[in-house]
Amino acid sequence: MPPFEVPEDDPFGPHNLPYGVFSTSESTERRVGVRLGDHILDAGAAALSLGSPYASLLARPTLNPLLAAGRTTWSDVRRALTAWVTVPAHREALEPLFHPLSSVALHLPFEVADYVDFYASENHARNAGRIFRPDAAEPLTPNWKHLPIGYHGRAGTVVVSGTDVVRPSGQRKAPSDPAPVFGPSTRLDIEAEVGFVVGTPSQQGRPVALGDFRDHVFGLTLLNDWSARDIQAWEYVPLGPFLGKSFATSVSAWITPLEALEDARVAPPKRTHPLLPYLDDSAEEPSGYDLRMTIAINGEVVSEPPFSTMYWTAAQQLAHLTVNGASLRTGDLYGSGTVSGAEPGQRGSLLELTWNGRDPLELPNGKRAYLEDDDVVTLSAWAPGPGGSRVGLGEVSGRIVAG
């Protein structure tokens, strides 16, 4: 099908236009592209061809220059791209600049400056509390309803969808073991998340307020924060995750601009505890997102987590991340934390889906308590768009290989 002839119900129509970075078989040069249907438009070449003032931002090997340009430029570039792919007068010039997705290689679309991961789903936090503290009267920790809990990850091991994930090794110690042992993780897990990509930086010492969220965050991407539960269980007291989380974090090849998700904005769940002023969003515009996620293992759907149930919003997470004066940099990435709904078929990790291995999943190729070598995990999602359309968020996939 010609690139401009996108069906009206295509989730990657002109109403979406997510950004990516690609190369072709003819050249290893990386280029910024925009997805339309099952094609990608060379955005930099298009800008040069049409004499656009945005060519200097788009004719780059990474999205970082565009991210750094700020919200006004993001909106201007999006309007220009929409016109380029919808105005018939541009077709002759642009058609040669489209490439079928099947013919290109997709790369990590931006240089990750820093990485932070949160713990924002009440359903996930309650499930984890019941698993690890079954005798506790309250599964949530005392701080959970007062602040978005998070930890710093490792930016250098953020990888693009399709990259193999090497099974990590580290120290493990079961409660009944007399001493720790070293070896490959036997409880390798997934965490179905949404990642938020920072564009505009901030000054150190100046917190980012709730209402400034969309001035700093360019867009979002699907994210799988792989987790070695057995390594993490032994190491995380008292400082938190380290080797059990830092070996790989996979992100989609597509960054969806926040502007494409205006119709997906929703109010977060009702808050049950009073919030301190810097987190109190009761007078702010709705900052939750109605994203419908799917988790598949070896092609078999095992869960469909709803992002709309997340207790803490991305705006609150950004406000908390910076309230101590920490600065933002272009290319910062922060993950929502595992997305889990209230129902068993909406859980976002194998920890919850199998109740820490007690109830293995029945898959066509055998039972799974945790991931085995050669398993392929794929997260995908969509969001409501204008006029009843869908906004596709692409997918993030990874295969487990032996260490």
Side-chain angles (χ1 to χ4, degrees):
M1 180 178 293
F4 290 102
E5 296 182 12
V6 180
E8 288 187 7
D9 60 351
D10 194 305
F12 294 98
H15 62 291
N16 188 348
L17 301 181
Y19 293 89
V21 168
F22 73 102
S23 62
T24 66
S25 57
E26 291 78 26
S27 172
T28 58
E29 178 187 3
R30 297 188 180 189
R31 316 170 195 180
V32 170
V34 174
R35 181 171 178 175
L36 183 67
D38 58 2
H39 287 76
I40 188 167
L41 172 67
D42 187 331
L48 290 169
S49 175
L50 297 176
S52 168
Y54 306 115
S56 62
L57 294 177
L58 297 174
R60 299 294 187 92
T62 177
L63 282 172
N64 287 62
L66 176 61
L67 299 180
R71 185 177 178 182
T72 298
T73 299
W74 305 338
S75 296
D76 290 345
V77 170
R78 180 169 170 79
R79 279 193 298 269
L81 286 164
T82 303
W84 296 350
V85 301
T86 56
V87 176
H90 298 314
R91 291 194 174 190
E92 184 176 354
L94 296 187
E95 191 153 4
L97 306 180
F98 278 94
H99 302 268
L101 287 176
S102 59
S103 71
V104 303
L106 297 173
H107 305 282
L108 189 65
F110 65 104
E111 296 175 7
V112 182
D114 204 348
Y115 173 53
V116 173
D117 192 49
F118 284 96
Y119 187 52
S121 165
E122 181 174 358
N123 296 309
H124 173 67
R126 286 190 176 279
N127 286 336
R130 292 185 182 106
I131 290 170
F132 294 125
R133 300 181 298 277
D135 298 326
E138 169 56 60
L140 296 180
T141 54
N143 60 349
W144 201 92
K145 287 293 184 79
H146 296 278
L147 57 84
I149 296 173
Y151 75 93
H152 266 82
R154 186 174 179 85
T157 49
V158 176
V159 297
V160 73
S161 176
T163 304
D164 286 346
V165 175
V166 178
R167 182 178 295 274
S169 291
Q171 290 193 28
R172 313 187 310 265
K173 182 185 179 301
S176 58
D177 292 342
V181 298
F182 180 87
S185 171
T186 60
R187 294 190 173 190
L188 187 55
D189 200 358
I190 61 173
E191 290 193 349
E193 303 191 23
V194 175
F196 292 86
V197 181
V198 171
T200 310
S202 67
Q203 291 186 359
Q204 189 170 0
R206 294 190 178 182
V208 175
L210 285 171
D212 295 331
F213 163 70
R214 291 195 292 163
D215 289 333
H216 290 275
V217 173
F218 174 80
L220 56 79
T221 184
L222 295 181
L223 184 151
N224 186 350
D225 198 31
W226 308 88
S227 299
R229 301 293 183 190
D230 44 358
I231 296 173
Q232 182 180 350
W234 172 235
E235 72 179 0
Y236 86 114
V237 179
L239 290 183
F242 189 43
L243 299 185
K245 301 284 286 185
S246 62
F247 57 96
T249 299
S250 298
V251 295
S252 169
W254 304 106
I255 309 298
T256 304
L258 292 185
E259 287 191 35
L261 296 166
E262 284 299 297
D263 292 270
R265 292 170 63 187
V266 294
K270 183 179 179 180
R271 309 302 165 73
T272 57
H273 290 58
L275 298 177
L276 292 174
Y278 79 97
L279 291 173
D280 185 359
D281 59 357
S282 58
E284 300 289 337
E285 56 187 2
S287 55
Y289 285 94
D290 181 11
L291 314 178
R292 323 289 178 86
M293 305 176 70
T294 298
I295 305 171
I297 300 177
N298 302 326
E300 186 78 8
V301 173
V302 297
S303 182
E304 295 182 310
F307 190 76
S308 60
T309 63
M310 300 296 274
Y311 191 87
W312 296 105
T313 70
Q316 289 172 316
Q317 290 168 338
L318 191 70
H320 185 67
L321 192 160
T322 60
V323 74
N324 67 343
S327 58
L328 299 175
R329 291 190 294 172
T330 297
D332 281 353
L333 171 69
Y334 64 99
S336 63
T338 305
V339 182
S340 290
E343 303 300 323
Q346 297 177 332
R347 295 169 179 169
S349 66
L350 288 174
L351 172 72
E352 300 164 86
L353 286 166
T354 71
W355 214 251
N356 200 21
R358 185 194 68 188
D359 307 316
L361 295 178
E362 296 281 355
L363 298 179
N365 58 340
K367 293 184 177 182
R368 290 292 186 280
Y370 286 96
L371 296 174
E372 298 183 2
D373 291 347
D374 294 319
D375 281 347
V376 176
V377 179
T378 302
L379 311 181
S380 57
W382 62 274
S389 63
R390 291 189 176 192
V391 177
L393 301 182
E395 65 177 36
V396 55
S397 183
R399 180 173 67 99
I400 304 302
V401 298

